Amino acid sequence: HGTCRTPSRSFRSRRSSSLHARSEAADSSAASASSGTPVKKMSMLVVGATGTLGRQVVRRALDEGYEVRALVRPRQNPADFLRDWGAVTVKGDLNDPSSLPPALVGVHTVVDCATARPEESVRAVDWEGKVALIQACQAMKIQRYVYMSIANCDKHPDVPLMAVKSCTEEYLQTSGLNYTVLRACGFMQALIGQYAIPILEGNQVWGTDDTTRTAYLNTQDAARMCLAAVRSDEAVGKTLTLAGPRAFTVSEVIALCEKLAGASANVSKVPVSVLRTAKAITGVFQWTGDAADRLAFAEVLSGNEVFSAPMDETYDLLGLNPEETTTVEMYLREYYTQILKKLKEVGAQSGQNRFDF
């Protein structure tokens, strides 16, 4: 956690050539931008635009009339759906600092939804990459920056993903940018793959012997809140936790899926003590470091904690109606209604099909 706050000398040495390249690219891009037309307030760059949340932010921003650019990696699978919606894709990579300033030319607002994929280094993407992005935004005089973070990240300095999210929040707060931090508790979309589909298929689902509660939010609602934060002058300099209407335990989610699917779940309980033991064992070996990081995160999500927050003031600040926010019951009911209807139409048996379409 400490190395996140103050990059080490070796870190600075390793990145010096990249920093120099970024500085030159930013100076060049800023000079060309300053000599051109003024930046449009409705111009936006979305980082992490192909992700579960990022794509919803792109869609919502386009619907609200923004000119949206989506940062995509040069070797990434084609983001055709983003272009079909009306976004402009620009090549860039958080691991390549020199690629960032050109993507920021003519941009007023940056919405950062990116996070490391399972196969990637959390430190490289969520710390080093974000520092590079924030510094590029400083150089390019970006006028608004919205950062998607994780609820309670500041309470868990020993969990790498949460530690770097908290470090990035602190770095952003001292950047001089007009920032807003949005801390998400959890997204409903994850419940489909983790619980809804396996229960319908009769496959095993994993639970823990804890009472951790999470106020899941639909990513479409999170995107609506994100765009409201972009519009709100009152949200500048604020850190807001985004929570769904009600916090659920894993057992409650499973019970709800069973009820809606008309099927019993095959649940395997994993004691929290087992997660701690697994973390200790994998942490011994450097080559399983990332595995240990993710087990540490799993332990937090199984530690009898509450990932939620009062939302009344947030709804008032953002000018949003809480009645429009999707509940977990509504979300899962709609999912199962659509899937069971399709099954009925094809006369299929649930145990013989995939349901993630």
Side-chain angles (χ1 to χ4, degrees), residues 65-185:
Y66 285 83
E67 295 179 5
V68 180
R69 292 185 200 174
L71 190 73
V72 297
R73 303 181 203 197
R75 294 176 299 280
Q76 193 172 41
N77 291 332
D80 292 338
F81 69 96
L82 296 174
R83 288 188 286 271
D84 291 344
W85 291 348
V88 175
T89 56
V90 292
K91 301 295 184 183
D93 192 332
L94 290 174
N95 290 317
D96 178 11
S98 64
S99 72
L100 301 175
L104 293 167
V105 174
V107 168
H108 179 281
T109 297
V110 169
V111 177
D112 177 10
C113 303
T115 197
R117 296 173 178 174
E119 69 274 13
E120 294 177 320
S121 162
V122 167
R123 178 178 173 81
V125 175
D126 284 283
W127 173 239
E128 296 175 13
K130 297 309 177 76
V131 168
L133 177 61
I134 291 168
Q135 290 181 350
C137 287
Q138 290 172 312
M140 297 298 294
K141 297 180 170 51
I142 296 301
Q143 297 176 51
R144 196 76 173 83
Y145 193 107
V146 176
Y147 175 59
M148 298 302 304
S149 188
I150 300 175
N152 299 355
C153 63
D154 54 326
K155 298 179 182 178
H156 299 280
D158 296 328
V159 180
L161 179 60
M162 302 187 88
V164 296
K165 290 288 187 184
S166 181
C167 287
T168 304
E169 289 183 6
E170 293 181 9
Y171 189 82
L172 185 58
Q173 288 162 5
T174 61
S175 68
L177 295 172
N178 292 324
Y179 75 89
T180 301
V181 173
L182 301 178
R183 292 179 170 182
C185 293

Side-chain angles (χ1 to χ4, degrees), residues 27-319:
D27 290 344
S28 173
S29 298
S32 62
S34 63
S35 62
T37 56
V39 172
K40 296 179 181 177
K41 190 173 183 180
M42 298 295 282
S43 58
M44 176 184 294
L45 176 72
V46 178
V47 184
T50 59
T52 305
L53 174 61
R55 65 182 60 194
Q56 296 297 339
V57 171
V58 170
R59 190 69 178 262
R60 182 81 192 192
L62 289 167
D63 288 346
E64 294 191 11
Y66 285 83
E67 295 179 5
V68 180
R69 292 185 200 174
L71 190 73
V72 297
R73 303 181 203 197
R75 294 176 299 280
Q76 193 172 41
N77 291 332
D80 292 338
F81 69 96
L82 296 174
R83 288 188 286 271
D84 291 344
W85 291 348
V88 175
T89 56
V90 292
K91 301 295 184 183
D93 192 332
L94 290 174
N95 290 317
D96 178 11
S98 64
S99 72
L100 301 175
L104 293 167
V105 174
V107 168
H108 179 281
T109 297
V110 169
V111 177
D112 177 10
C113 303
T115 197
R117 296 173 178 174
E119 69 274 13
E120 294 177 320
S121 162
V122 167
R123 178 178 173 81
V125 175
D126 284 283
W127 173 239
E128 296 175 13
K130 297 309 177 76
V131 168
L133 177 61
I134 291 168
Q135 290 181 350
C137 287
Q138 290 172 312
M140 297 298 294
K141 297 180 170 51
I142 296 301
Q143 297 176 51
R144 196 76 173 83
Y145 193 107
V146 176
Y147 175 59
M148 298 302 304
S149 188
I150 300 175
N152 299 355
C153 63
D154 54 326
K155 298 179 182 178
H156 299 280
D158 296 328
V159 180
L161 179 60
M162 302 187 88
V164 296
K165 290 288 187 184
S166 181
C167 287
T168 304
E169 289 183 6
E170 293 181 9
Y171 189 82
L172 185 58
Q173 288 162 5
T174 61
S175 68
L177 295 172
N178 292 324
Y179 75 89
T180 301
V181 173
L182 301 178
R183 292 179 170 182
C185 293
F187 296 126
M188 295 179 189
Q189 279 67 18
L191 301 178
I192 301 301
Q194 290 177 352
Y195 305 109
I197 292 172
I199 288 173
L200 197 56
E201 292 183 327
N203 293 335
Q204 194 174 53
V205 295
W206 297 93
T208 55
D209 57 350
D210 69 288
T211 57
T212 300
R213 308 185 76 88
T214 303
Y216 298 100
L217 196 63
N218 189 337
T219 54
Q220 293 181 1
D221 290 321
R224 180 168 59 96
M225 295 173 184
C226 178
L227 268 295
V230 169
R231 293 191 303 269
S232 172
D233 291 337
E234 292 184 22
V236 174
K238 297 275 200 317
T239 296
L240 307 173
T241 298
L242 304 184
R246 179 191 156 196
F248 285 77
T249 64
V250 167
S251 297
E252 289 172 337
V253 171
I254 291 173
L256 181 58
C257 289
E258 288 179 312
K259 177 183 176 183
L260 294 171
S264 296
N266 176 17
V267 183
S268 292
K269 289 288 182 73
V270 182
V272 174
S273 59
V274 172
L275 284 175
R276 294 196 181 102
T277 302
K279 175 191 172 187
I281 293 171
T282 57
V284 171
F285 305 101
Q286 185 175 357
W287 57 268
T288 60
D290 282 350
D293 290 354
R294 295 181 195 288
L295 280 169
F297 189 57
E299 184 181 327
V300 168
L301 297 179
S302 306
N304 302 320
E305 196 167 340
V306 177
F307 289 84
S308 185
M311 286 289 290
D312 289 347
E313 290 184 8
T314 299
Y315 279 117
D316 287 343
L317 186 148
L318 298 179

Side-chain angles (χ1 to χ4, degrees), residues 12-28:
R12 289 195 297 269
S13 175
R14 289 196 310 273
R15 302 286 280 187
S16 60
S17 60
S18 293
L19 289 168
H20 180 68
R22 175 170 68 235
S23 177
E24 287 188 340
D27 290 344
S28 173

